[in-house]
């Protein structure tokens, strides 16, 4: 599942520009790996649903909400980590 972890980290890197340095860091909370994987799987399923001819809108909504919740947890973990680059939220262009 290393592939999904990396994919999730990259997707979050795009979605959370203020946290890019922290997402690139080698030292980060261990629980982030599971969140990266979950984010990648949720995003993959959401894309599949959105490309269906008649997607189930309830499922689309559920996966959108799940993705946003994962983003919030990741931001919270990165902000709470002492000495983390995310604590320096200098905007990244």
């Amino acid at each position: 599942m290393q592939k999904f972890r990396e994919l999730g980290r990259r997707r979050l890197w795009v979605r959370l520009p203020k946290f890019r340095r922290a997402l690139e860091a080698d030292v980060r909370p261990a629980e982030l790996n599971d969140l990266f994987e979950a984010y990648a799987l949720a995003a993959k399923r959401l894309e599949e649903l959105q490309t269906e001819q008649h997607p189930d809108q309830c499922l689309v909504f559920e996966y959108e909400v799940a993705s946003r919740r994962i983003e919030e947890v990741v931001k919270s973990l990165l902000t709470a980590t002492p000495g983390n680059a995310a604590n320096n939220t200098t905007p990244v262009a």
Side-chain angles (χ1 to χ4, degrees), residues 6 9 19 22 29 41 46 50-51 59-60 62 64 70 72 79 87-88 90-91:
E6 181 59 20
R9 186 192 64 77
F19 293 87
L41 293 170
L46 181 58
Q50 291 172 331
T51 59
L59 276 178
V60 170
E62 285 181 36
E64 287 173 341
I70 293 170
E72 292 303 316
T79 302
N87 292 327
N88 176 5
T90 305

Side-chain angles (χ1 to χ4, degrees), residues 12-78:
L12 285 161
W13 187 89
V14 171
R15 290 279 305 159
L16 307 174
K18 289 184 178 182
F19 293 87
R20 287 181 177 168
R21 289 188 193 129
L23 289 166
E24 292 169 350
D26 291 330
V27 178
R28 56 183 170 255
E31 55 265 57
L32 282 176
N33 287 331
D34 291 337
L35 291 168
F36 292 163
E37 188 174 325
Y39 193 78
L41 293 170
K44 182 178 184 285
R45 182 62 181 132
L46 181 58
E47 287 175 356
E48 290 169 358
L49 287 168
Q50 291 172 331
T51 59
E52 291 179 2
Q53 190 169 5
H54 301 288
D56 181 336
Q57 292 304 315
C58 289
L59 276 178
V60 170
F61 178 75
E62 285 181 36
Y63 277 96
E64 287 173 341
V65 169
S67 295
R68 298 303 80 78
R69 285 184 180 156
I70 293 170
E71 289 173 10
E72 292 303 316
V73 173
V74 167
K75 287 192 286 189
S76 175
L77 285 170
L78 291 175

